[in-house]
Amino acid sequence: METAIRQKIDTWLSGNYDADTKAYLNKLLTDNNDAELNDAFYKDLEFGTGGLRGTIGIGTNRMNQYTVGMATQGLANYLKQTYPNEEIRVAIAHDSRIKSDTFAQITADVFSANGIKVFLFPELRPTPELSFAVRELKCHSGVVITASHNPKEYNGYKAYWNDGGQVIAPHDKNIIGEVQKIKSVDEVKFAGNPDLIVKIGPELDEKYRKMILGNVVFPDVIQRQKAMKIVFTPIHGTGITQVPQVLELMGFTNVHVIEEQAKPDGTFPTVVYPNPEEKEAMSLALKKAAELDADLILATDPDSDRVGIGVKNHHGKWQLLNGNQTGSLIIYYLLQAWKQAGKITGKEFVAKTIVTTDLIDKMAADYGVECPNVLTGFKYIAAKIKAYEGEKKFIAGGEESYGYLVGDAVRDKDAIASCAIIAELVAYAKDKGISLFDMMREMYAKYGFYYETLISLTKKGQSGAEEIKQMMNNMRNNPPKTVAGSPLVRLLDYELGQDRDLINGTTKPTELEKSDVLQFITADGTKVSARPSGTEPKIKFYVSVNEPLENKEDFDAVFEKLKGKVASIVEELKLS
């Protein structure tokens, strides 16, 4: 065992840590379990730009009461520096994960011990409702305890700022600096002040639901199609606290909750990964939908910021839509609805991330609506909404990883509001005598058939990190001349902040923050984006191809052509 690791262990054994923690460490030492001890102490769990995320357990590299306490103390110190003469207010929520409620209470205690007023959800609630609460309760900051859709061993800590969005520059780096200054658990004020902790009551739930009901475009359509069959699964998470209630308030009378997955449970007993992007996590919902001959499947992840959906395709078979397809359909519907209502004046916008389908840009341009592209991460969409406040009205936005937002009352991706608009979408299509899948084919016939896929290559450990860095360097210095036979016409390097036109040789700034992302765009509109993951030992490649769809009856033939094109790109660029 390295000396530095042993010194950390000794600090925990001699310091102000609880007896159970010390007994566990002594047992690991007695059993010579160096592998477990090394992994638990070889580094400190880093407070990154999104907060903390790690496996639950004892040690500096784990999510536990001490790492959560130190993170909160650092955030409290920064808030007190930033707002020196104000009564500081924070809101706290948690999901269904193991120890989420415990970590939320510790967070509340540390804030209150520092003289900060805390608004605490007494029970689990969706992440977007925390964002809503920050704004509604006029808080300076907020925290949600969640690890989103990570495996059950994980938990996390996400920090929000006063606009309800996750922290961005300069606050993110400044908070990290304050957290890193906390060198000892003795610096953390754990003894909470109950007088400063206020339990959030049901009235906030009601306001949140009312806000979502305000997004309904055609209540008469919902009334006509109120009996359509909806299958919903919260995958053992927070969605159960809001989705069935919102659908009922909208007027839908035939909602079927997957009972085996209805109860919040951080062990996620029915799935391998609690992720609606995974077909396996949707298997129970798919089975129930087939039994009922349902119209729609909705599935939210544990903290309800992402939603996956399933519909019947044009062959009558159940199909799960990907994040780009669902996001495009939401924008397609809302743009039509806003124009029909006379609400498009030239001062509206939608927003998406740079790796999300360009179909959304094309549709927005058709309606004279701006579509800014931002870096990956919904906090950048939130920042764009804040930047345009008072100038332009936000319609909706999204990212390919199953996260969408309708309206600006929340500043994070919102699966509850998304479930509501998707259910209305399906009702609207049904009212026209078509399915949602038919509506998607109609959209492709009008704007082009866009097909996207994501390839993730896992490269573990230090050698993996070096390999990923080398791959990015190689692509940066030796970009391909062609992709799938089409010449490269544009190269965007967000690390260097350069947008190069390879036809006329000009270069302009990307005008976004620096980020290690490369994008190759060809003459036929093919786009390949390369991006190392910020939270996992992976490099991700986002491939987007498109073809005209002259007639929606040609869907299958064009789809096969696009899949073949993607397969050739994967082989050509050695992405497998």
Side-chain angles (χ1 to χ4, degrees), residues 10-291:
D10 289 341
T11 297
W12 278 53
L13 287 171
S14 62
N16 285 323
Y17 295 83
D18 65 279
D20 288 345
T21 292
K22 292 179 180 181
Y24 180 75
L25 288 176
N26 277 317
K27 186 176 187 309
L28 290 178
L29 288 166
T30 303
D31 294 345
N32 293 316
N33 194 338
D34 284 6
E36 174 66 20
L37 288 165
N38 284 337
D39 196 57
F41 286 95
Y42 85 97
K43 66 174 184 176
D44 294 344
L45 190 64
E46 291 178 12
F47 193 102
T49 54
L52 297 171
R53 188 173 296 187
T55 53
I56 302 161
I58 289 167
T60 59
N61 187 35
R62 296 279 190 267
M63 279 289 294
N64 52 61
Q65 64 263 46
Y66 304 110
T67 51
V68 167
M70 292 167 84
T72 307
Q73 186 65 54
L75 177 52
N77 291 350
Y78 181 66
L79 284 166
K80 289 166 80 172
Q81 289 170 23
T82 309
Y83 302 104
N85 300 310
E86 294 185 38
E87 179 198 57
I88 303 169
R89 300 154 68 96
V90 300
I92 302 170
H94 71 270
D95 69 3
S96 60
R97 286 181 176 273
I98 296 165
K99 287 187 174 284
S100 279
D101 54 349
T102 303
F103 293 154
Q105 186 61 53
I106 290 165
T107 303
D109 287 342
V110 174
F111 277 133
S112 65
N114 281 275
I116 292 171
K117 186 165 186 177
V118 175
F119 295 89
L120 176 66
F121 281 101
E123 297 170 326
L124 76 167
R125 285 294 182 270
T127 286
E129 192 172 351
L130 181 277
S131 173
F132 180 79
V134 168
R135 296 174 59 76
E136 187 68 25
L137 299 172
K138 296 179 171 52
C139 293
H140 299 79
S141 181
V143 171
V144 62
I145 305 296
T146 178
S148 191
H149 54 280
N150 274 48
K152 63 185 178 185
E153 296 83 11
Y154 283 78
N155 213 325
Y157 178 111
K158 289 202 293 191
Y160 289 75
W161 207 243
N162 59 10
D163 65 331
Q166 286 188 57
V167 290
I168 57 166
H171 304 300
D172 52 359
K173 301 289 194 300
N174 294 342
I175 293 167
I176 290 168
E178 288 302 319
V179 173
Q180 288 173 344
K181 287 179 188 175
I182 308 293
K183 298 299 183 187
S184 166
V185 73
D186 295 332
E187 297 173 50
V188 181
K189 298 175 181 177
F190 281 108
N193 179 354
D195 294 338
L196 287 177
I197 300 175
V198 177
K199 297 290 175 71
I200 296 174
E203 63 279 358
L204 196 118
D205 289 333
E206 290 164 16
K207 286 182 179 179
Y208 176 63
R209 290 172 194 152
K210 186 178 179 182
M211 176 274 295
I212 292 173
L213 292 176
N215 294 331
V216 171
V217 183
F218 297 120
D220 55 320
V221 168
I222 293 172
Q223 191 56 36
R224 287 194 294 273
Q225 301 300 333
K226 64 183 181 181
M228 76 177 206
K229 297 172 189 167
I230 301 171
V231 172
F232 169 65
T233 174
I235 318 181
H236 305 290
T238 59
I240 194 66
T241 67
Q242 291 290 8
V243 174
Q245 296 86 331
V246 166
L247 293 175
E248 183 182 349
L249 288 168
M250 289 173 74
F252 292 108
T253 60
N254 208 348
V255 178
H256 301 262
V257 177
I258 301 298
E259 289 303 322
E260 301 95 318
Q261 297 178 326
K263 186 180 178 183
D265 187 338
T267 67
F268 309 116
T270 65
V271 297
V272 178
Y273 298 106
N275 185 353
E277 296 179 55
E278 302 282 345
K279 189 172 184 179
E280 178 268 336
M282 304 280 273
S283 58
L284 290 174
L286 284 162
K287 184 182 176 187
K288 175 63 78 174
E291 286 172 10

